[in-house]
Amino acid sequence: RVLAVRDGVLRIVGLPSARVEELIEFGPGLSALVLGLSKDGVQAAILDDSDQARVGQRARCTGRLATLPVGDPVLGRILDPMGRPLDGRPIVGTRVPMRLEREAPGIHERGAVHQPLYTGTLAIDAMFPIGRGQRELIIGDEGTGRSSLAMTAMLRQRDTGVICVYVAIGRRRAEVWQVAEALRAGGVRYVVVSAPEDASAATRTLAPFAGTAVAEFFRDRGEHALVVYDDLTAHAVAWRELSLLLERPPGREAFPGDVFYLHARLLERSTQLSAEAGGGSLTALPLATTEDGRLSAYVPTNLIAITDGQVVLSRGLFASGQKPAVDAGLSVSRVGARAQAQAFRHLAGRLRLDYASFLELESFARVGTRLEASAQRRLEVGRRLRRLLQTPRLAPQGVMAQLLRLSLASQSDLLMRIPEDRVSELATAMEAELPARLTGLTARLEAETVLSAGDEATLAEAVARWVEARLLPEAAHG
């Protein structure tokens, strides 16, 4: 029987056979998840409407662990962490139960990350490439474009066959609906798992595990999935809230000591499977929030240690108009370079190091130091590179558009001839016009993304001619 009810947590007596993470039923259609065992009883977190929980209600073990039904019918739907639809329509079709908590694939089941996952954002695809099966953290302060960056990556998967799972943890319902509508309008195959801000702490805690289970269903049958956790800082806060209600001892920043293990066992489930295991992949883009850019806070340091790299977004760069506000000095991809397409690897070259050194030089130049001519030129080139790396919000770039920008970036003399305030405008016009004039090269590069010496020369010549044609009339007019 239910002995006590407190803030969504039940204390139950009389269930000696209960197991951790087992579902308990109590009251009419109510369920709870066992999270603590003791000699005096069981502690369980309510998964439904906690207002209906009453002291004295009869409880019983179900023998079942937490699962949600997954299958093709859930594509294009919004679900709660237990698999129930939140969009007002029933789910019709065959589904199979998937456990929310599963062991990560073993070493013998994993393969090397070898395929690129394009995000549609040049700053990432060129400097910090992501491979299918990788875990790349997107981290920054509130209002620096973290969600927009992840949304752009999901929209880029429209023609790749990658299934996108968006996990909303503690987000407003209106925001979740906007994301779902954008994915639907973009033609993406997607599933949204939502635990809104007014959901119980247990429901918010289960949300990323539910989203991972959905993605694993498609991965295990040989497909490719991308899961976005928005965000794991809110998830850690929900776990802290639940742990304090369970009277577990707090640690650093009041978080329980197992918060690292919580996220580690979640993100370890993202991987590239070997050919013998089906060849599917699950790529994770967890989001995390910092305060005043403090990467040394407890949750950010944990996530940086767990993931295979991080894209750091800077409030200062965002405020200066650089969008996406990617900090090239602090961002890194530890795996994706092995999966980066040859054309990107060849054209990008030293772009990351050059751009990071430019940001450092620009910061140094602000103090009014007199610079040599070579350093001044580096500043001028860097400012134009920054314009090239800017992309519109929720407008993913294709492979050819990105390669055209990289080709222009590699021709510094040509780039210097373009007025700084016109670089973005000309680059946008170029990527809209040139691919149609280079149909054969465009088709080959988008299919294989391999750049021969002849292709590189053809691309560079086409870019130079197009830019020259645009600049000459302006010079004559001047």
Side-chain angles (χ1 to χ4, degrees):
R1 290 184 179 276
V2 176
L3 188 64
V5 181
R6 185 178 60 183
D7 295 326
V9 174
L10 304 177
R11 184 182 172 196
I12 303 172
V13 294
L15 294 176
S17 62
R19 298 179 295 165
V20 173
E21 297 179 2
E22 182 180 359
L23 289 176
I24 300 294
E25 290 183 351
F26 68 99
L30 300 178
S31 59
L33 186 68
V34 175
L35 293 176
L37 304 175
S38 68
K39 295 180 179 180
D40 301 328
V42 169
Q43 290 176 309
I46 302 173
L47 299 177
D48 300 283
D49 185 4
S50 60
D51 293 337
Q52 300 183 41
R54 298 287 184 273
V55 173
Q57 286 176 318
R58 188 183 299 274
R60 70 178 186 86
C61 294
T62 63
R64 295 181 288 107
L65 299 178
T67 62
L68 81 162
V70 185
D72 288 322
V74 304
L75 289 172
R77 305 301 300 273
I78 304 177
L79 313 174
D80 73 358
M82 301 309 294
R84 295 169 292 208
L86 296 177
D87 48 15
R89 296 180 289 118
I91 299 177
V92 180
T94 303
R95 292 179 289 167
V96 298
M98 295 287 292
R99 282 182 52 186
L100 270 63
E101 287 270 16
R102 293 177 61 190
E103 287 189 9
I107 294 295
H108 64 286
E109 299 176 274
R110 297 173 181 252
V113 174
H114 62 280
Q115 293 178 283
L117 184 128
Y118 297 111
T119 66
T121 300
L122 181 60
I124 296 177
D125 291 337
M127 297 190 291
F128 314 104
I130 299 173
R132 293 182 180 179
Q134 188 175 343
R135 303 157 298 178
E136 184 80 2
L137 177 66
I138 301 176
I139 186 169
D141 289 1
E142 284 283 357
T144 53
R146 295 167 302 124
S147 297
S148 295
L149 206 61
M151 272 294 299
T152 302
M154 289 191 286
L155 291 172
R156 177 63 178 83
Q157 309 312 315
R158 180 181 64 180
D159 301 320
T160 64
V162 176
I163 296 169
C164 300
V165 180
Y166 176 75
V167 182
I169 309 164
R171 312 295 293 184
R172 294 195 301 268
R173 285 181 169 83
E175 294 175 338
V176 176
W177 277 97
Q178 289 172 0
V179 170
E181 180 58 27
L183 293 175
R184 186 199 63 78
V188 180
R189 299 172 68 199
Y190 73 92
V191 181
V192 174
V193 178
S194 174
E197 56 186 349
D198 58 350
S200 67
T203 302
R204 283 178 279 138
T205 298
L206 290 178
F209 293 94
T212 305
V214 172
E216 283 176 332
F217 170 82
F218 298 103
R219 180 203 66 187
D220 292 348
R221 68 180 193 181
E223 298 188 67
H224 302 282
L226 167 66
V227 59
V228 173
Y229 304 105
D230 191 7
D231 67 19
L232 289 189
T233 303
H235 181 241
V237 170
W239 182 245
R240 176 173 63 184
E241 178 183 341
L242 189 57
S243 297
L244 293 175
L245 290 171
L246 294 171
E247 299 179 352
R248 294 177 178 174
R252 179 179 166 188
E253 298 181 20
F255 287 104
D258 62 347
V259 69
F260 181 92
Y261 173 59
L262 175 77
H263 288 154
R265 74 174 189 262
L266 169 70
L267 294 172
E268 275 297 310
R269 293 160 66 177
S270 301
T271 186
Q272 167 71 54
L273 294 180
S274 64
E276 294 75 15
S281 70
L282 198 169
T283 308
L285 291 182
L287 276 61
T289 305
T290 56
E291 295 181 4
D292 296 325
R294 280 201 318 127
L295 297 179
S296 59
Y298 188 39
V299 173
T301 52
N302 282 345
L303 291 172
I304 289 172
I306 295 167
T307 50
D308 306 314
Q310 67 275 351
V311 175
V312 180
L313 302 181
S314 164
R315 179 173 292 281
L317 292 175
F318 190 88
S320 67
Q322 175 66 11
K323 300 175 184 178
V326 177
D327 190 322
L330 296 176
S331 302
V332 66
S333 176
R334 302 185 184 97
V335 177
R338 304 174 193 171
Q340 189 176 28
Q342 182 267 353
F344 280 87
R345 190 166 58 249
H346 185 72
L347 285 180
R350 292 177 49 85
L351 178 62
R352 183 180 70 85
L353 294 176
D354 291 343
Y355 187 64
S357 66
F358 152 70
L359 292 177
E360 185 177 353
L361 179 61
E362 185 182 45
S363 177
F364 176 72
R366 288 196 184 102
V367 301
T369 306
R370 185 175 179 179
L371 301 175
E372 296 180 354
S374 60
Q376 188 62 42
R377 177 181 170 83
R378 284 172 56 196
L379 276 179
E380 294 294 331
V381 173
R383 291 186 181 118
R384 287 161 173 77
L385 286 178
R386 177 161 57 196
R387 299 273 185 165
L388 277 180
L389 293 175
Q390 289 181 347
T391 53
R393 181 176 179 271
L394 304 184
Q397 297 173 313
V399 167
M400 190 59 179
Q402 292 181 325
L403 292 179
L404 286 171
R405 289 191 178 226
L406 288 176
S407 180
L408 177 57
S410 65
Q411 303 178 63
S412 59
D413 291 337
L414 178 64
L415 190 60
M416 283 292 291
R417 294 186 56 195
I418 306 175
E420 181 185 339
D421 59 351
R422 296 214 54 210
V423 171
S424 296
E425 173 196 339
L426 286 179
T428 301
M430 178 180 65
E431 65 189 33
E433 294 180 18
L434 263 187
R437 302 182 187 180
L438 304 169
T439 52
L441 181 61
T442 299
R444 188 163 63 254
L445 287 177
E446 290 185 345
E448 301 176 0
T449 328
V450 175
L451 197 67
S452 66
D455 291 339
E456 182 182 2
T458 301
L459 195 65
E461 183 181 1
V463 168
R465 285 183 175 180
W466 189 92
V467 172
E468 293 281 357
R470 281 301 183 100
L471 292 178
L472 281 176
E474 296 176 4
H477 180 71

